[in-house]
Amino acid sequence: MGVRPLLLRAVIVGAPGSGKGTVSSRAVKHFALKHLSSGDLLREHMNKRTEIGIIAKTYIDQGRLIPDDIITQLMLSELKTVEQHHLLLDGFPRTVPQAEALEKMFSVNTVIDLDVPFETIQQRLTARWIHPASGRVYNLEFNPPKVPGSDDITGEPLVQRDDDKPETVMKRLKSYEAETKPVLEYYKRKGVLESFSGTETNKIWPHVHHFLQTKLPDVSQKEDATPS
Ligand code: AMP
């Protein structure tokens, strides 16, 4: 009573296709958290063609990580603007040197690890097909084309992006494992790692929600309440 609650310094970790985006956006809806995504921040810089954006693009286009010193500087200066808030970091830190640099600014006290089996992620990531001329996107699970393999409007063939082809997806997942495992180990040693395992985001989310409720007040009721 009267004690200032500990500020949440959380990091969400999960492979591409693990449901990290969905879980983060739900967390932000339910809790008074600032969500800071390194990927979103880099994309913003690229759209604005800032110096960082131009450098970042050369790495991202090759599917490579941005060098630690560049991304760390960018994220730490961004973090200074939200220091007084509960935080959910997404996409950063991605390497142990980044985690160590972050630790000098503040101590991460919660790491939410979305642990989704490899095969599930591979299925999800390879389910996306596009119609190149229009950019229409289909998902074999959620919004399949009316005729398999053909665009609904033109009937033209659908293709997979290079990024979504099974062999490339496998490469991305392998490199995620290689770069992220040491970060998870780092946080495990610090005793702040919470792993949530499952194959469906809708089943994982209630556990993450419950866990966050033990740390923060759920504010979604207030927001959702219709004014009387
Ligand atoms: P994301 O949207 O998190 O997948 O990020 C998109 C791309 O931005 C990644 O594939 C990396 O090239 C780059 N990136 C984002 N966060 C980091 C980070 N913490 N360290 C290095 N590169 C990053």
Side-chain angles (χ1 to χ4, degrees), residues 1 3 7 19 29 54-55 69 83 88-90 116 122 139 144 146 152 161 180 182 197 212 214:
M1 251 191 280
V3 177
L7 282 173
K29 234 167 126 186
I54 292 164
I55 298 171
D69 52 339
E83 247 175 338
L88 180 63
L89 296 182
D90 178 350
V116 178
Q122 213 185 4
N139 184 293
K146 291 187 187 117
D152 285 355
R161 285 189 198 154
T180 311
S197 306
L212 286 172
T214 64

Side-chain angles (χ1 to χ4, degrees), residues 13 65 68 93-100 111 113 173-190 192-193:
V13 186
L65 287 184
D68 285 336
R94 249 189 174 85
T95 65
V96 172
Q98 291 178 19
E100 285 167 347
V111 176
D113 164 36
L173 291 179
K174 285 242 158 82
S175 89
Y176 168 82
E177 277 230 328
E179 84 206 22
T180 311
K181 272 246 167 87
V183 178
L184 291 179
E185 282 302 319
Y186 175 87
Y187 286 126
K188 196 173 176 183
R189 277 198 302 276
K190 285 193 178 290
V192 293
L193 185 70

